[in-house]
């Protein structure tokens, strides 16, 4: 699982996510955003398996 984790700040910058969108993802799937050693990480395998980008972006409008 550790190989699927990317730092949340890096993920948000790379995929142009806002904090609000990331909070939505975490609310929908607690395994998608995890805390590890005091930092938040995004579990890429959970994002890819459970979310469509349209679902995330449309929810924040």
């Amino acid at each position: 699982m550790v190989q699927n984790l990317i730092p949340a700040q890096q993920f948000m910058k790379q995929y142009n996510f806002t904090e609000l969108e990331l909070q939505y993802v975490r609310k929908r799937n607690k395994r998608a955003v995890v805390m590890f050693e005091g930092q938040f990480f995004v579990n890429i395998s959970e994002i890819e398996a459970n979310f469509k980008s349209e679902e995330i972006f449309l929810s924040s409008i």
Side-chain angles (χ1 to χ4, degrees):
M1 179 179 142
V2 175
Q3 68 272 15
N4 294 328
L5 298 180
I6 182 172
Q9 292 296 330
Q10 179 182 338
F11 175 84
M12 288 176 13
K13 187 175 184 178
Q14 183 175 344
Y15 292 97
N16 201 26
F17 263 51
T18 65
E19 284 190 38
L20 184 63
E21 291 163 337
L22 200 58
Q23 288 174 11
Y24 171 79
V25 169
R26 186 172 188 213
K27 184 177 179 183
R28 292 285 310 273
N29 182 349
K30 298 226 184 266
R31 294 177 299 179
V33 181
V34 298
M35 182 176 266
F36 182 68
E37 295 185 356
Q39 292 186 328
F40 283 104
F41 290 85
V42 175
N43 185 340
I44 295 297
S45 62
E46 289 291 326
I47 294 284
E48 291 174 350
N50 296 303
F51 294 99
K52 296 177 184 167
S53 61
E54 298 85 16
E55 179 183 48
I56 296 166
F57 298 122
L58 290 175
S59 70
S60 62
I61 295 175

